[in-house]
């Protein structure tokens, strides 16, 4: 009997131990160091988690954002693709946070270790560095939480080159929220310089992409197109997404053997998203961009836009309309054959040399009325792959989602392989929302990094 009681007590002890809630220092703090310190660090865009005790007191708020998958800011729905540098928490990790809350947020004993380095830190060897604001500074607008400002920068190389990697080094991490870098084709370089010179202060306002916000206004667009017929469309078609940065990202190389062409005479447009809530009155000074550059690559690439061009003319043709206090869904698709043809023209190569196309990434883009969306790729067999699903869109955290392994399609399959994008919009206002380029307009677009495998040219 005595032995049975001892066995029962031991079993109860094991049961209680197995059900014990995870504690902060033992289980929670290591995950915060691995997934959060890359952005929530001293002198960063947001409040710091560097102090363990300060962070512990934020426990309920942290658990709430983790439960809702709002933090870490990784928009991609799990279960579809494996992505490079995935900072999201697994379902098991989220359950650990929830169990910590259910157990009353036990503190535990501090571990004898320093804060872990950010998970994405890596060395980056640059070939070229450029200043975003040479000899200048920029004070973000203090009358709005988010300030999108574009700066035009000359590309300095006199010979054809390919960008093969990118790193941003913001001058003031307390105000720089993210950066998107666009490349402008040489024939439009002077136009973009003119646009910058026409606006007071460094750069110009640019919410949607590389083109100034003011050209989204009918009267401004009309005046511009009196000088340059169809000029706004030319501006949008004459630039392409080159690279990007967000807090926590270190330098990164494009997929091995690939690169984006940069012809001599091109210019860059750096769209800086400033968020100065945590640092009012502070300016951005000394922001830099670093590039890995090669004179030749095995497979030329570009970030290819998948969209429906008439949507950008919504104010004229009403092709994209989100009615007041309603939702709306829009979708379009393009064949890989059409994409390969577009890239061949851009690179100046014979389309017959295309041996295969590689799809490396997806990047959904909408504006502030976006609610959800996804990017798909339908194979010749009819099988539909979800390249990216974003169940809850957030304009502030857009980024490329690069696959661990590219999807490769031989030339014979390109015509029967389609890449599609679909977007759902929610309009809570009393006014309709139309497709267009302005900050109050909407757009539905995917940008995928696509590389071409080319046969050798005939001698």
């Amino acid at each position: 009997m005595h032995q049975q009681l001892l066995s029962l007590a031991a079993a109860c002890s094991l049961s209680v131990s197995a059900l014990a809630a995870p504690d902060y220092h033992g289980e929670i703090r290591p995950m915060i160091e691995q997934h959060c310190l890359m952005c929530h660090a001293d002198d960063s865009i947001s409040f710091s988690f560097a102090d363990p005790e300060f962070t512990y007191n934020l426990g309920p708020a942290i658990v709430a954002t983790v439960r809702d998958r709002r933090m870490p800011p990784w928009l991609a729905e799990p279960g579809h693709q494996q992505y490079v540098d995935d900072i999201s928490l697994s379902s098991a990790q989220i359950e650990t946070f929830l169990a910590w809350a259910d157990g009353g947020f036990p503190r535990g004993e501090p571990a004898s270790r320093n804060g872990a380095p950010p998970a994405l830190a890596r060395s980056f060897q640059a070939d070229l560095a450029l200043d975003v604001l040479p000899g200048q500074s920029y004070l973000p607008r203090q009358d709005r939480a988010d300030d999108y400002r574009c700066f035009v920068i000359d590309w300095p190389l006199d010979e054809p080159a390919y960008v093969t990697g990118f790193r941003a080094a913001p001058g003031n991490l307390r105000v720089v929220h993210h950066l998107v870098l666009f490349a402008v084709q040489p024939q439009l370089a002077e136009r973009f310089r003119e646009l910058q010179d026409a606006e007071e202060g460094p750069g110009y306002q640019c919410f949607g992409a590389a083109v100034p916000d003011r050209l989204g206004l009918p009267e401004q667009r009309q005046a511009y197109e009196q000088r340059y017929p169809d000029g706004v469309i030319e501006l949008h078609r004459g630039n392409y997404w080159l690279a990007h940065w967000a807090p926590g990202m270190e330098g990164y190389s494009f997929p091995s053997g690939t690169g984006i062409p940069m012809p001599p005479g091109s210019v860059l447009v750096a769209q800086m998203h400033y968020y100065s809530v945590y640092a009012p009155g502070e300016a951005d000074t000394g922001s830099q961009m670093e590039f890995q550059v090669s004179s030749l690559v095995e497979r030329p690439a570009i970030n290819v836009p998948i969209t429906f061009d008439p949507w950008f003319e919504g104010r004229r043709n009403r092709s994209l309309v989100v009615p007041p206090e309603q939702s709306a869904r829009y979708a379009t698709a393009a064949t890989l054959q059409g994409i390969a043809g577009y890239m061949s023209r851009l690179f100046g190569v014979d389309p017959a040399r295309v041996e295969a196309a590689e799809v490396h990434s997806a990047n959904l883009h909408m504006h502030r009325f976006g609610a959800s969306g996804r990017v798909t790729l339908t194979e010749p067999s009819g099988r539909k792959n979800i390249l990216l699903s974003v169940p809850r869109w957030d304009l502030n955290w857009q980024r490329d989602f690069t696959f661990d392994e590219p999807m490769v399609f031989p030339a014979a399959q390109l015509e029967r392989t389609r890449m599609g994008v679909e977007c759902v919009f929610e309009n809570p206002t009393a006014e309709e929302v139309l497709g267009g380029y302005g900050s109050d307009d909407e757009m539905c677009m995917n940008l995928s990094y696509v590389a071409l495998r080319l046969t050798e040219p005939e001698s």
Side-chain angles (χ1 to χ4, degrees):
M1 182 67 176
H2 178 68
Q3 185 64 39
Q4 289 177 328
L5 289 174
L6 286 177
S7 298
L8 180 60
C12 289
S13 175
L14 289 172
S15 176
V16 170
S17 175
L19 294 175
D23 66 66
Y24 172 71
H25 286 290
E27 288 88 1
I28 302 301
R29 181 66 190 177
M31 288 192 288
I32 289 174
E33 290 174 346
Q34 184 72 11
H35 293 268
C36 308
L37 282 185
M38 60 188 68
C39 297
H40 289 276
D42 294 336
D43 300 322
S44 69
I45 190 67
S46 189
F47 47 85
S48 175
F49 286 170
D51 181 350
E53 291 307 306
F54 169 81
T55 308
Y56 171 80
N57 293 324
L58 297 175
I62 291 173
V63 171
T65 60
V66 166
R67 179 194 61 222
D68 296 340
R69 292 189 181 271
R70 286 181 282 128
M71 289 287 162
W74 184 261
L75 302 185
E77 183 179 50
H80 301 297
Q81 302 293 332
Q82 295 296 317
Y83 304 107
V84 175
D85 291 338
D86 185 346
I87 62 170
S88 65
L89 295 170
S90 68
S91 296
Q93 289 172 315
I94 293 174
E95 287 300 321
T96 301
F97 274 93
L98 298 179
W100 179 48
D102 291 341
F105 302 97
R107 186 185 298 267
E109 294 298 324
S112 57
R113 67 175 187 278
N114 296 321
L120 302 184
R122 59 170 70 90
S123 61
F124 182 82
Q125 299 298 319
D127 302 307
L128 173 67
L130 297 176
D131 292 326
V132 175
L133 288 155
Q136 301 183 76
S137 64
Y138 178 72
L139 176 66
R141 291 185 56 168
Q142 303 294 292
D143 59 342
R144 59 174 64 174
D146 297 283
D147 182 9
Y148 290 81
R149 195 79 179 178
C150 278
F151 304 99
V152 180
I153 303 131
D154 289 337
W155 179 251
L157 302 186
D158 295 328
E159 299 293 331
Y162 295 84
V163 172
T164 60
F166 178 75
R167 178 180 181 270
N172 186 349
L173 282 167
R174 289 170 56 81
V175 299
V176 180
H177 189 282
H178 75 247
L179 176 156
V180 176
L181 184 63
F182 301 91
V184 176
Q185 293 175 320
Q187 65 270 25
L188 290 173
E190 191 56 38
R191 295 251 210 110
F192 275 87
R193 295 189 189 100
E194 289 177 1
L195 292 169
Q196 178 170 251
D197 293 342
E199 199 157 315
E200 184 178 354
Y204 54 84
Q205 292 295 311
C206 57
F207 175 80
V211 176
D213 281 359
R214 63 182 187 271
L215 294 185
L217 301 174
E219 63 275 12
Q220 292 273 359
R221 175 172 180 159
Q222 183 177 6
Y224 185 78
E225 293 193 333
Q226 285 180 350
R227 295 180 60 203
Y228 303 107
D230 295 323
V232 173
I233 293 176
E234 290 177 349
L235 293 174
H236 280 279
R237 290 179 176 174
N239 75 84
Y240 46 91
W241 185 300
L242 182 63
H244 67 279
W245 170 88
M249 292 180 65
E250 293 295 323
Y252 61 98
S253 298
F254 297 166
S256 178
T258 74
I260 298 178
M262 286 296 297
S266 301
V267 297
L268 303 172
V269 175
Q271 183 202 55
M272 307 289 286
H273 175 190
Y274 293 109
Y275 184 78
S276 58
V277 170
Y278 295 106
E282 292 192 21
D284 178 28
T285 304
S287 286
Q288 276 197 329
M289 301 177 296
E290 298 177 354
F291 302 85
Q292 292 175 337
V293 181
S294 177
S295 59
L296 292 173
V297 296
E298 295 173 2
R299 305 182 308 285
I302 198 171
N303 288 290
V304 176
I306 306 296
T307 189
F308 183 54
D309 284 347
W311 287 340
F312 295 110
E313 301 297 317
R315 294 187 178 275
R316 296 181 179 180
N317 60 25
R318 301 187 63 80
S319 58
L320 193 159
V321 181
V322 188
E325 300 179 349
Q326 293 186 40
S327 62
R329 175 188 174 275
Y330 287 87
T332 191
T335 67
L336 291 191
Q337 183 70 51
I339 290 171
Y342 161 75
M343 295 174 66
S344 298
R345 291 190 296 275
L346 187 67
F347 301 151
V349 301
D350 185 349
R353 291 181 55 203
V354 176
E355 188 175 64
E358 305 172 351
V359 181
H360 287 268
S361 69
N363 184 329
L364 186 69
H365 178 68
M366 296 179 281
H367 283 174
R368 63 190 180 94
F369 295 98
S372 63
R374 66 178 186 168
V375 181
T376 60
L377 191 146
T378 305
E379 300 179 21
S381 65
R383 176 188 175 189
K384 179 175 285 190
N385 301 284
I386 297 178
L387 303 185
L388 173 65
S389 175
V390 176
R392 182 169 53 201
W393 168 251
D394 186 336
L395 176 66
N396 291 325
W397 299 110
Q398 58 182 316
R399 62 174 296 160
D400 288 348
F401 293 89
T402 301
F403 314 134
D404 279 350
E405 296 292 336
M407 296 183 176
V408 182
F409 297 90
Q413 295 182 5
L414 299 184
E415 184 61 44
R416 295 178 294 123
T417 305
R418 299 177 63 82
M419 194 183 315
V421 59
E422 57 186 69
C423 303
V424 176
F425 304 99
E426 299 282 353
N427 179 9
T429 74
E431 303 292 333
E432 67 180 9
V433 175
L434 299 170
Y437 298 115
S439 57
D440 292 324
D441 300 327
E442 264 304 343
M443 56 178 60
C444 176
M445 178 187 299
N446 168 58
L447 286 159
S448 282
Y449 189 83
V450 179
L452 294 184
R453 297 182 181 181
L454 302 174
T455 60
E456 291 296 327
E458 295 183 2
S459 57

mmCIF file of all heavy atoms in Angstrom, residues 3 15 19 64 70 95 100 109 119 172 175-176 185 200 217 226 245 277 284 306 321 331 336 357 420 422 429 457:
data_model
loop_
_atom_site.group_PDB
_atom_site.id
_atom_site.type_symbol
_atom_site.label_atom_id
_atom_site.label_comp_id
_atom_site.label_asym_id
_atom_site.label_seq_id
_atom_site.Cartn_x
_atom_site.Cartn_y
_atom_site.Cartn_z
ATOM 1 N N GLN A 3 3.902 1.483 -1.066
ATOM 2 C CA GLN A 3 4.538 1.606 -2.376
ATOM 3 C C GLN A 3 3.584 2.183 -3.421
ATOM 4 O O GLN A 3 3.961 2.991 -4.264
ATOM 5 C CB GLN A 3 5.038 0.239 -2.838
ATOM 6 C CG GLN A 3 5.828 0.277 -4.154
ATOM 7 C CD GLN A 3 7.108 1.085 -4.022
ATOM 8 O OE1 GLN A 3 7.785 1.016 -2.991
ATOM 9 N NE2 GLN A 3 7.407 1.868 -5.048
ATOM 10 N N SER A 15 2.734 14.759 -13.550
ATOM 11 C CA SER A 15 1.622 15.385 -14.259
ATOM 12 C C SER A 15 1.645 16.887 -14.060
ATOM 13 O O SER A 15 1.485 17.663 -15.002
ATOM 14 C CB SER A 15 0.296 14.802 -13.778
ATOM 15 O OG SER A 15 -0.793 15.455 -14.388
ATOM 16 N N LEU A 19 2.398 19.891 -16.889
ATOM 17 C CA LEU A 19 1.423 20.932 -17.181
ATOM 18 C C LEU A 19 1.893 22.312 -16.748
ATOM 19 O O LEU A 19 1.177 23.292 -16.913
ATOM 20 C CB LEU A 19 0.094 20.605 -16.470
ATOM 21 C CG LEU A 19 -0.633 19.361 -16.977
ATOM 22 C CD1 LEU A 19 -1.865 19.084 -16.127
ATOM 23 C CD2 LEU A 19 -1.009 19.504 -18.436
ATOM 24 N N ALA A 64 -0.881 39.323 -27.084
ATOM 25 C CA ALA A 64 -2.013 39.689 -27.940
ATOM 26 C C ALA A 64 -1.577 39.837 -29.396
ATOM 27 O O ALA A 64 -2.253 39.358 -30.310
ATOM 28 C CB ALA A 64 -2.654 40.976 -27.439
ATOM 29 N N ARG A 70 0.082 39.475 -35.630
ATOM 30 C CA ARG A 70 0.470 40.812 -36.070
ATOM 31 C C ARG A 70 1.957 41.056 -35.876
ATOM 32 O O ARG A 70 2.548 41.914 -36.528
ATOM 33 C CB ARG A 70 -0.344 41.877 -35.315
ATOM 34 C CG ARG A 70 -1.795 41.973 -35.773
ATOM 35 C CD ARG A 70 -2.564 43.048 -35.041
ATOM 36 N NE ARG A 70 -2.961 42.621 -33.700
ATOM 37 C CZ ARG A 70 -2.718 43.305 -32.591
ATOM 38 N NH1 ARG A 70 -2.043 44.434 -32.647
ATOM 39 N NH2 ARG A 70 -3.122 42.856 -31.421
ATOM 40 N N GLU A 95 1.691 28.809 -29.446
ATOM 41 C CA GLU A 95 1.050 28.097 -28.327
ATOM 42 C C GLU A 95 1.841 28.276 -27.040
ATOM 43 O O GLU A 95 1.257 28.347 -25.947
ATOM 44 C CB GLU A 95 0.913 26.612 -28.667
ATOM 45 C CG GLU A 95 -0.163 26.304 -29.703
ATOM 46 C CD GLU A 95 -1.550 26.742 -29.252
ATOM 47 O OE1 GLU A 95 -1.863 26.583 -28.046
ATOM 48 O OE2 GLU A 95 -2.306 27.251 -30.098
ATOM 49 N N TRP A 100 2.005 30.603 -21.687
ATOM 50 C CA TRP A 100 2.622 31.532 -20.718
ATOM 51 C C TRP A 100 1.571 32.476 -20.139
ATOM 52 O O TRP A 100 1.511 32.693 -18.922
ATOM 53 C CB TRP A 100 3.735 32.309 -21.413
ATOM 54 C CG TRP A 100 4.444 33.315 -20.561
ATOM 55 C CD1 TRP A 100 4.952 33.134 -19.302
ATOM 56 C CD2 TRP A 100 4.723 34.672 -20.906
ATOM 57 N NE1 TRP A 100 5.548 34.279 -18.851
ATOM 58 C CE2 TRP A 100 5.419 35.247 -19.822
ATOM 59 C CE3 TRP A 100 4.474 35.449 -22.037
ATOM 60 C CZ2 TRP A 100 5.861 36.586 -19.829
ATOM 61 C CZ3 TRP A 100 4.916 36.769 -22.053
ATOM 62 C CH2 TRP A 100 5.589 37.330 -20.960
ATOM 63 N N GLU A 109 13.655 32.238 -13.655
ATOM 64 C CA GLU A 109 14.961 32.751 -13.256
ATOM 65 C C GLU A 109 15.729 33.243 -14.479
ATOM 66 O O GLU A 109 15.776 32.556 -15.506
ATOM 67 C CB GLU A 109 15.765 31.657 -12.559
ATOM 68 C CG GLU A 109 15.181 31.215 -11.231
ATOM 69 C CD GLU A 109 15.142 32.351 -10.217
ATOM 70 O OE1 GLU A 109 16.087 33.180 -10.227
ATOM 71 O OE2 GLU A 109 14.166 32.416 -9.429
ATOM 72 N N ALA A 119 18.561 37.141 -35.870
ATOM 73 C CA ALA A 119 18.685 35.894 -36.629
ATOM 74 C C ALA A 119 19.179 36.133 -38.048
ATOM 75 O O ALA A 119 19.778 35.253 -38.643
ATOM 76 C CB ALA A 119 17.333 35.185 -36.659
ATOM 77 N N ASN A 172 19.215 57.237 -39.629
ATOM 78 C CA ASN A 172 18.523 57.386 -38.347
ATOM 79 C C ASN A 172 17.436 56.314 -38.267
ATOM 80 O O ASN A 172 16.332 56.482 -38.789
ATOM 81 C CB ASN A 172 17.908 58.781 -38.212
ATOM 82 C CG ASN A 172 17.310 59.018 -36.834
ATOM 83 O OD1 ASN A 172 17.169 58.097 -36.028
ATOM 84 N ND2 ASN A 172 16.942 60.261 -36.555
ATOM 85 N N VAL A 175 13.646 56.902 -37.253
ATOM 86 C CA VAL A 175 12.600 57.492 -38.101
ATOM 87 C C VAL A 175 12.410 56.757 -39.425
ATOM 88 O O VAL A 175 11.390 56.936 -40.084
ATOM 89 C CB VAL A 175 12.874 58.997 -38.384
ATOM 90 C CG1 VAL A 175 12.885 59.789 -37.096
ATOM 91 C CG2 VAL A 175 14.180 59.193 -39.155
ATOM 92 N N VAL A 176 13.380 55.933 -39.846
ATOM 93 C CA VAL A 176 13.253 55.237 -41.133
ATOM 94 C C VAL A 176 12.525 53.922 -40.915
ATOM 95 O O VAL A 176 13.024 53.021 -40.248
ATOM 96 C CB VAL A 176 14.630 54.985 -41.770
ATOM 97 C CG1 VAL A 176 14.455 54.261 -43.112
ATOM 98 C CG2 VAL A 176 15.374 56.298 -41.980
ATOM 99 N N GLN A 185 14.780 53.740 -66.200
ATOM 100 C CA GLN A 185 15.484 53.571 -67.465
ATOM 101 C C GLN A 185 16.075 54.904 -67.932
ATOM 102 O O GLN A 185 15.521 55.980 -67.652
ATOM 103 C CB GLN A 185 14.534 52.994 -68.506
ATOM 104 C CG GLN A 185 14.099 51.568 -68.177
ATOM 105 C CD GLN A 185 13.057 51.047 -69.142
ATOM 106 O OE1 GLN A 185 12.149 51.755 -69.544
ATOM 107 N NE2 GLN A 185 13.184 49.767 -69.519
ATOM 108 N N GLU A 200 9.289 71.464 -53.413
ATOM 109 C CA GLU A 200 10.095 72.155 -52.409
ATOM 110 C C GLU A 200 10.766 71.159 -51.469
ATOM 111 O O GLU A 200 10.178 70.153 -51.067
ATOM 112 C CB GLU A 200 9.212 73.101 -51.600
ATOM 113 C CG GLU A 200 9.972 73.954 -50.594
ATOM 114 C CD GLU A 200 9.062 74.914 -49.857
ATOM 115 O OE1 GLU A 200 7.872 74.987 -50.206
ATOM 116 O OE2 GLU A 200 9.561 75.570 -48.919
ATOM 117 N N LEU A 217 -3.352 63.610 -58.882
ATOM 118 C CA LEU A 217 -4.435 64.595 -58.910
ATOM 119 C C LEU A 217 -4.761 64.947 -60.362
ATOM 120 O O LEU A 217 -3.849 65.207 -61.163
ATOM 121 C CB LEU A 217 -4.023 65.856 -58.160
ATOM 122 C CG LEU A 217 -3.654 65.652 -56.678
ATOM 123 C CD1 LEU A 217 -3.116 66.950 -56.087
ATOM 124 C CD2 LEU A 217 -4.860 65.163 -55.893
ATOM 125 N N GLN A 226 0.153 67.723 -70.711
ATOM 126 C CA GLN A 226 0.201 68.713 -71.778
ATOM 127 C C GLN A 226 1.621 68.855 -72.310
ATOM 128 O O GLN A 226 1.834 69.119 -73.489
ATOM 129 C CB GLN A 226 -0.317 70.057 -71.266
ATOM 130 C CG GLN A 226 -1.830 70.102 -71.110
ATOM 131 C CD GLN A 226 -2.331 71.437 -70.590
ATOM 132 O OE1 GLN A 226 -1.554 72.295 -70.153
ATOM 133 N NE2 GLN A 226 -3.645 71.629 -70.628
ATOM 134 N N TRP A 245 14.377 47.327 -48.242
ATOM 135 C CA TRP A 245 14.894 47.122 -46.891
ATOM 136 C C TRP A 245 13.776 47.408 -45.893
ATOM 137 O O TRP A 245 12.942 48.295 -46.105
ATOM 138 C CB TRP A 245 16.068 48.056 -46.606
ATOM 139 C CG TRP A 245 16.484 48.053 -45.162
ATOM 140 C CD1 TRP A 245 17.378 47.230 -44.556
ATOM 141 C CD2 TRP A 245 15.987 48.913 -44.131
ATOM 142 N NE1 TRP A 245 17.475 47.509 -43.218
ATOM 143 C CE2 TRP A 245 16.626 48.549 -42.927
ATOM 144 C CE3 TRP A 245 15.058 49.966 -44.104
ATOM 145 C CZ2 TRP A 245 16.361 49.185 -41.710
ATOM 146 C CZ3 TRP A 245 14.794 50.602 -42.892
ATOM 147 C CH2 TRP A 245 15.454 50.209 -41.724
ATOM 148 N N VAL A 277 6.875 58.897 -34.991
ATOM 149 C CA VAL A 277 6.104 58.951 -33.753
ATOM 150 C C VAL A 277 7.008 58.803 -32.531
ATOM 151 O O VAL A 277 6.822 59.472 -31.515
ATOM 152 C CB VAL A 277 5.015 57.859 -33.756
ATOM 153 C CG1 VAL A 277 4.372 57.730 -32.374
ATOM 154 C CG2 VAL A 277 3.945 58.176 -34.799
ATOM 155 N N ASP A 284 16.493 62.573 -40.825
ATOM 156 C CA ASP A 284 17.277 61.486 -41.405
ATOM 157 C C ASP A 284 18.506 62.090 -42.061
ATOM 158 O O ASP A 284 18.398 62.935 -42.953
ATOM 159 C CB ASP A 284 16.445 60.723 -42.435
ATOM 160 C CG ASP A 284 17.244 59.613 -43.111
ATOM 161 O OD1 ASP A 284 18.170 59.094 -42.472
ATOM 162 O OD2 ASP A 284 16.928 59.282 -44.266
ATOM 163 N N ILE A 306 2.798 41.928 -62.163
ATOM 164 C CA ILE A 306 1.584 41.271 -62.657
ATOM 165 C C ILE A 306 0.416 42.133 -62.214
ATOM 166 O O ILE A 306 0.111 42.242 -61.022
ATOM 167 C CB ILE A 306 1.426 39.849 -62.086
ATOM 168 C CG1 ILE A 306 2.673 39.009 -62.357
ATOM 169 C CG2 ILE A 306 0.175 39.181 -62.662
ATOM 170 C CD1 ILE A 306 2.947 38.753 -63.805
ATOM 171 N N VAL A 321 -13.281 49.726 -59.063
ATOM 172 C CA VAL A 321 -14.137 50.554 -58.213
ATOM 173 C C VAL A 321 -14.454 49.768 -56.941
ATOM 174 O O VAL A 321 -14.894 48.610 -57.009
ATOM 175 C CB VAL A 321 -15.452 50.934 -58.919
ATOM 176 C CG1 VAL A 321 -16.308 51.816 -58.011
ATOM 177 C CG2 VAL A 321 -15.172 51.624 -60.251
ATOM 178 N N ALA A 331 -9.054 40.431 -59.926
ATOM 179 C CA ALA A 331 -8.029 39.427 -60.221
ATOM 180 C C ALA A 331 -7.609 39.549 -61.678
ATOM 181 O O ALA A 331 -8.385 39.970 -62.548
ATOM 182 C CB ALA A 331 -8.552 38.018 -59.939
ATOM 183 N N LEU A 336 3.571 32.965 -68.476
ATOM 184 C CA LEU A 336 5.020 33.095 -68.386
ATOM 185 C C LEU A 336 5.628 33.389 -69.753
ATOM 186 O O LEU A 336 6.697 34.002 -69.842
ATOM 187 C CB LEU A 336 5.634 31.830 -67.790
ATOM 188 C CG LEU A 336 5.357 31.557 -66.313
ATOM 189 C CD1 LEU A 336 6.245 30.429 -65.817
ATOM 190 C CD2 LEU A 336 5.576 32.802 -65.448
ATOM 191 N N ALA A 357 12.269 29.698 -67.653
ATOM 192 C CA ALA A 357 12.032 30.832 -66.751
ATOM 193 C C ALA A 357 12.025 30.321 -65.317
ATOM 194 O O ALA A 357 11.453 29.264 -65.020
ATOM 195 C CB ALA A 357 10.710 31.518 -67.081
ATOM 196 N N GLY A 420 -1.009 34.560 -61.484
ATOM 197 C CA GLY A 420 -2.151 35.430 -61.227
ATOM 198 C C GLY A 420 -2.050 36.148 -59.899
ATOM 199 O O GLY A 420 -1.327 35.729 -58.984
ATOM 200 N N GLU A 422 -4.774 38.248 -57.086
ATOM 201 C CA GLU A 422 -6.135 38.664 -56.737
ATOM 202 C C GLU A 422 -6.098 39.449 -55.438
ATOM 203 O O GLU A 422 -5.316 39.145 -54.533
ATOM 204 C CB GLU A 422 -7.062 37.465 -56.621
ATOM 205 C CG GLU A 422 -6.645 36.400 -55.641
ATOM 206 C CD GLU A 422 -7.550 35.179 -55.714
ATOM 207 O OE1 GLU A 422 -7.502 34.452 -56.732
ATOM 208 O OE2 GLU A 422 -8.296 34.960 -54.744
ATOM 209 N N THR A 429 -15.385 53.921 -45.991
ATOM 210 C CA THR A 429 -15.732 55.327 -46.112
ATOM 211 C C THR A 429 -17.050 55.512 -46.868
ATOM 212 O O THR A 429 -17.605 54.578 -47.444
ATOM 213 C CB THR A 429 -14.624 56.106 -46.843
ATOM 214 O OG1 THR A 429 -14.657 55.787 -48.245
ATOM 215 C CG2 THR A 429 -13.259 55.739 -46.270
ATOM 216 N N PRO A 457 24.108 32.759 -77.765
ATOM 217 C CA PRO A 457 23.736 33.324 -79.071
ATOM 218 C C PRO A 457 24.502 32.648 -80.195
ATOM 219 O O PRO A 457 25.621 32.165 -80.020
ATOM 220 C CB PRO A 457 24.148 34.803 -78.928
ATOM 221 C CG PRO A 457 25.203 34.812 -77.867
ATOM 222 C CD PRO A 457 24.848 33.703 -76.916
#
